[in-house]
Amino acid sequence: MTSHTLPLSLGRLVGMIWASSWRRCHSISWPHLLWMLWAWLSPGSWAHQQTHPHSIKIPGDITLGGLFPVHSRGPAGVPCGEIKKEKGIHRMEAMLYALDQINSDPELLPNITLGARILDTCSRDTYALEQSLTFVQALIQKDTSDIRCSNGEQPIIRKPERVVGVIGASGSSVSIMVANVLRLFEIPQISYASTAPELSDNNRYDFFSRVVPPDSYQAQTMVDIVKALGWNYVSTLASEGNYGESGVDAFVQISREAGGLCIAQSLKIPREPKPGEFDKIIRRLMETPNARGVIIFAHEDDIKQVLEAAKKSNLTGHFKFVGSDSWGAKSSPILDQEEVAEGAVTILPKRASVEGFDQYFASRSLENNRRNIWFAEFWEDDFRCKLTRPGIKIDPEKKKCTGEERISRDSHYEQEGKVQFVIDAVYAMAHALHNMHQDLCPGATGVCDKMDPVEGRMLLSYIRSVNFNGSAGTAVLFNENGDAPGRYDIFQYQMTNTTNPGYRVIGQWTNNLRLDVEDMQWGDGSRQIPDSVCSFPCRSGERKKMVKGVPCCWHCELCDGYQYQADELNCEMCPFDMRPTPNRTACRPTPIIKLEWHSAWAIIPLFLAILGILATLFIIITFIRFNDTPIVRAAGRELSYVLLTGIFLIYFITFLMIAEPETVVCAFRRMLLGLGMSITYSAMLTKTNRIYRIFEQGKKSVTPPKFISPTSQLVITFVLISVQVMGVFVWFGVVPPHIIVDYEELRPPNPELARGILKCDMSDLSLICCLSYSIVLMVTCTFYAVKSRGVPETFNEAKPIGFTMYTTCIVWLAFVPIFFGTAQSTEKMFIQTTTLTVSMSLSASVSLGMLYIPKVYIIILHPEQNVQKRKRSFKAVVQAATMSSRLSQKSLNDKQNGETKIEPDRTQ
């Protein structure tokens, strides 16, 4: 690009700036741009442009441009403010130092001197754009035909130097603004501090390169740090502008892609903060107090004010900051705010102090550094004195500068963090020019015609191809987008438990994080990493109930009942035969229980059964021994033995009900549970039926009824018993006996009380069905006992049997509500088993006590009554019974008529 006409260049420049910068630079308007460009490019301003009152000119064969924030941003209406010693003067002097080193190096660009045109950006993008137009003047052909001197001759105008490349700028917003202009004229640019990810777009910023890694790497580093600290809920804070906003956007994007990290709040610091703005920001951050971690991409002035506002709000130690490279290891942002900044983790592109620069800068003085037009201002600020100037009086209260002061001796000096990168940027440009010169001008001394002028696009290709060891000993190279590789040192500001409070290196990042967590230190010297989480981890047995739209926030819900924690988000039911562990993280087998012999529920039934069995055996033995005595014979020996056998089985079933369930035990339970009662009540029914039929027949005839012989009675009894036996065998055939473990019966709300019950396959319904036949026999027997209640007790057993059946019915009527009323009890099996066995033992004991204890009493204690009485015929028995019945009826009628028969006194 050797020649352009003014209209073409101006049109391209205006169009490109408007298209590329309008959306980013809200502080500049389109009319302002037109006015600014015309003011710079109009012939009338040419003489003014040649003076360059705010720039440094270093002569050379090839000129490089330099952009540095020598001054801070000025207040409203003023472009520049106070001088910036570190970020301004240190960095600018680093470029001068690098030029001196290159020009004195016989191996690098031999016989070619590098010059420079260095401008002050005043930390303002619009002002920097105005200044950078200086770099493109030589590329624009100006029409000076209308300009005449006072004598009418055409003036001699010195052509401005041609800038082949630019070193800078510092801030990303400044670099973006300048890059849009420089790319129009194909001037390569290498930044030493701009890290906005936006500048990696090679389509829009194709002539931009940088020796520092972009914020996308920085954001990745910060995401890795946050995750290494175990944080998942943080806030972000950005200075308004490309650097802050792009950095936060990159952090948010990477954290979203990585997952597991949520942004509580994303706040922005305005370009021109209003009073109280930072207090408002702190209040906003405290709306999410759990987000103690604050990711901050901000300028150092903004960082300082954020720390001041936190201290003012008595929040010292609450927030833990993770700062970008704009914070780095600088002391200025934390000055007088050290307590608030304690524990802050900051990152900085990997760097090393350049010793040669320290020696160079410490040797600078007012005498030997006149090429730096801002050095006198730096001198006054650094030594806090005032230089004498002609016509200006010095304030007597201020110290006068002597010129004998020395940097580092009489003032504090610490090399600024980006000095290394400024030197590397200058060397990268020099190496590119050197390689270009070797290819285009082999063997030539100085700049040959092929490099006059230097073609910008070709120079860019050489810049992107450089690879050399920089001032820190690390490789300097660029990728296809002009970005340097990501290499960061990670610092933490520590105050306590250290001999020298300050920034301490705790790790590094080169494509992956290496963080020494054990070296980290937080408030009051604590090494416990503070929490910055939305929700704390749930305890064992609790699941996370996620908050909609915030994946890092949740509520903890206990897996209740028989649920266990299947994973962090779900609870699932344990299998039917299992229950959750105490911490509810797994399932465990439900304990299996059975009725033990030593249980309190078994002791009483066993005691009653043993007493009953002993009493039954005693009666059986007594009956066998006195088998031929009148009382035994009158009781009906055959049916008595059958009945006593049934009573014995009723007692014996208690042992089977308490025994550990097995297939054989279950089979005997089925068989004997109803069999003992059916034997007992079949015998009783046969007896009462026989008595009833005899006396009913006697009312009609003297002929005895059929089937009243002992043999007939036994046959009838066994027929009745066989019905029960046949029913049991049918049951065996349909459902063979087996054992089961019932987990549903004892499954209360509290799983710790859950038990599996080992039992036979006999449900409540099947048990009732098993006893139903015996109950029918019992009811029928009671019916006949009631019908036979008028028979004199001296003639038969009707009344004892009646009393037996009445009592038995009462026992079993009490049994029903107790048995079925415990269906919901946690001890259902024990209560029901005990109730059943006790009821059966009581009914057996009633039969034993009513029917046989009186007979045994007479047999043992009153044998004189156990004698043969006068034998009467069936006719006499019937007549006596009938007469007795009639007398009873007549006596009842007499009482009802109010008549009383007076018997004579036989004692007289």
Side-chain angles (χ1 to χ4, degrees), residues 40 66-67 119-121 125-137 163 166 174 177-179 181-182 185 187:
W40 269 89
L67 292 171
L119 304 175
D120 180 11
T121 65
D125 49 8
T126 53
Y127 183 79
L129 177 61
E130 296 178 18
Q131 294 293 299
S132 65
L133 293 177
T134 302
F135 299 145
V136 302
Q137 290 181 35
V163 173
V166 175
V174 176
M177 186 74 82
V178 172
V181 175
L182 298 182
F185 299 94
I187 299 176

Side-chain angles (χ1 to χ4, degrees), residues 341-356:
E342 185 175 12
V345 178
T346 62
I347 65 175
L348 200 61
K350 200 168 187 62
R351 62 172 187 171
S353 181
V354 182
E355 293 184 5

Side-chain angles (χ1 to χ4, degrees), residues 648-792:
F648 176 86
L649 292 178
I650 290 174
Y651 286 123
F652 182 74
I653 193 65
T654 297
F655 295 93
L656 293 177
M657 296 300 292
I658 296 175
E660 181 176 347
E662 295 178 357
T663 303
V664 175
V665 172
C666 292
F668 277 105
R669 278 190 190 179
R670 285 193 190 182
M671 176 67 73
L672 300 181
L673 184 61
L675 184 60
M677 293 183 66
S678 64
I679 291 174
T680 301
Y681 296 119
S682 293
M684 285 189 188
L685 176 60
T686 303
K687 276 191 174 188
T688 55
N689 176 265
R690 174 176 175 269
I691 296 170
Y692 175 76
R693 287 189 297 113
I694 288 173
F695 289 100
E696 283 297 315
Q697 181 69 21
K699 295 177 183 180
K700 303 173 184 178
S701 170
V702 295
T703 305
K706 298 179 181 180
F707 309 118
I708 61 173
S709 65
T711 304
S712 299
Q713 297 296 293
L714 288 176
V715 171
I716 293 172
T717 300
F718 285 117
V719 168
L720 293 174
I721 294 172
S722 65
V723 175
Q724 174 75 25
V725 175
M726 290 177 62
V728 170
F729 278 104
V730 171
W731 188 9
F732 283 162
V734 175
V735 182
H738 60 279
I739 58 173
I740 59 171
V741 180
D742 188 348
Y743 293 97
E744 296 297 330
E745 183 173 312
L746 198 55
R747 196 175 175 87
N750 184 0
E752 290 300 311
L753 302 177
R755 298 292 185 271
I757 301 175
L758 181 66
K759 62 182 184 179
C760 296
D761 62 327
M762 294 176 64
S763 64
D764 294 347
L765 179 61
S766 61
L767 186 143
I768 296 300
C769 291
C770 183
L771 296 175
S772 60
Y773 180 66
S774 299
I775 294 173
V776 171
L777 294 175
M778 185 191 311
V779 172
T780 306
C781 188
T782 304
F783 171 77
Y784 281 111
V786 172
K787 296 290 287 183
S788 304
R789 68 183 183 280
V791 178

Side-chain angles (χ1 to χ4, degrees), residues 519-753:
D519 292 336
M520 301 184 74
Q521 194 170 280
W522 307 92
D524 299 326
S526 171
R527 297 192 181 274
Q528 178 67 37
I529 298 175
D531 295 313
S532 184
V533 295
C534 180
S535 303
F536 290 98
C538 294
R539 293 175 293 181
S540 296
E542 294 180 340
R543 77 174 186 94
K544 294 179 181 178
K545 184 179 181 182
M546 307 306 297
V547 176
K548 187 176 182 180
V550 189
C552 300
C553 299
W554 59 81
H555 303 295
C556 294
E557 285 190 348
L558 180 67
C559 297
D560 57 358
Y562 288 82
Q563 294 180 328
Y564 74 99
Q565 184 183 1
D567 53 52
E568 64 177 10
L569 297 177
N570 297 293
C571 295
E572 293 184 2
M573 291 293 295
C574 285
F576 74 97
D577 59 343
M578 304 185 81
R579 60 176 180 168
T581 56
N583 61 6
R584 295 184 177 272
T585 57
C587 293
R588 53 178 174 163
T590 301
I592 298 174
I593 61 170
K594 57 183 178 59
L595 186 58
E596 301 291 344
W597 295 101
H598 55 78
S599 170
W601 297 102
I603 292 175
I604 295 177
L606 288 173
F607 178 74
L608 293 177
I610 291 171
L611 287 181
I613 288 174
L614 292 176
T616 304
L617 291 176
F618 178 75
I619 292 171
I620 291 173
I621 293 171
T622 301
F623 267 48
I624 291 174
R625 182 177 178 185
F626 299 95
N627 187 55
D628 292 327
T629 60
I631 288 182
V632 175
R633 292 170 61 187
R637 290 175 295 185
E638 296 79 5
L639 283 182
S640 291
Y641 290 128
V642 172
L643 197 150
L644 288 170
T645 301
I647 291 174
F648 176 86
L649 292 178
I650 290 174
Y651 286 123
F652 182 74
I653 193 65
T654 297
F655 295 93
L656 293 177
M657 296 300 292
I658 296 175
E660 181 176 347
E662 295 178 357
T663 303
V664 175
V665 172
C666 292
F668 277 105
R669 278 190 190 179
R670 285 193 190 182
M671 176 67 73
L672 300 181
L673 184 61
L675 184 60
M677 293 183 66
S678 64
I679 291 174
T680 301
Y681 296 119
S682 293
M684 285 189 188
L685 176 60
T686 303
K687 276 191 174 188
T688 55
N689 176 265
R690 174 176 175 269
I691 296 170
Y692 175 76
R693 287 189 297 113
I694 288 173
F695 289 100
E696 283 297 315
Q697 181 69 21
K699 295 177 183 180
K700 303 173 184 178
S701 170
V702 295
T703 305
K706 298 179 181 180
F707 309 118
I708 61 173
S709 65
T711 304
S712 299
Q713 297 296 293
L714 288 176
V715 171
I716 293 172
T717 300
F718 285 117
V719 168
L720 293 174
I721 294 172
S722 65
V723 175
Q724 174 75 25
V725 175
M726 290 177 62
V728 170
F729 278 104
V730 171
W731 188 9
F732 283 162
V734 175
V735 182
H738 60 279
I739 58 173
I740 59 171
V741 180
D742 188 348
Y743 293 97
E744 296 297 330
E745 183 173 312
L746 198 55
R747 196 175 175 87
N750 184 0
E752 290 300 311
L753 302 177

Side-chain angles (χ1 to χ4, degrees), residues 85 190 265 355 361 523 565 573 690 719 871 875:
K85 294 192 297 183
I190 302 179
Q265 296 196 67
E355 293 184 5
F361 193 73
Q565 184 183 1
M573 291 293 295
R690 174 176 175 269
V719 168
K871 195 171 184 179
K875 179 179 179 180

Side-chain angles (χ1 to χ4, degrees), residues 9-25 28-30 32-34 36-37 129-130 132-133 136 176-185:
S9 299
L10 178 59
R12 289 184 61 196
L13 180 60
V14 170
M16 194 62 180
I17 292 178
W18 182 82
S20 303
S21 303
W22 174 251
R23 292 186 300 272
R24 305 177 190 85
C25 306
I28 186 169
S29 63
W30 172 244
H32 182 206
L33 271 175
L34 287 176
M36 179 181 64
L37 291 170
L129 177 61
E130 296 178 18
S132 65
L133 293 177
V136 302
I176 287 174
M177 186 74 82
V178 172
N180 283 305
V181 175
L182 298 182
R183 73 182 296 268
L184 295 176
F185 299 94

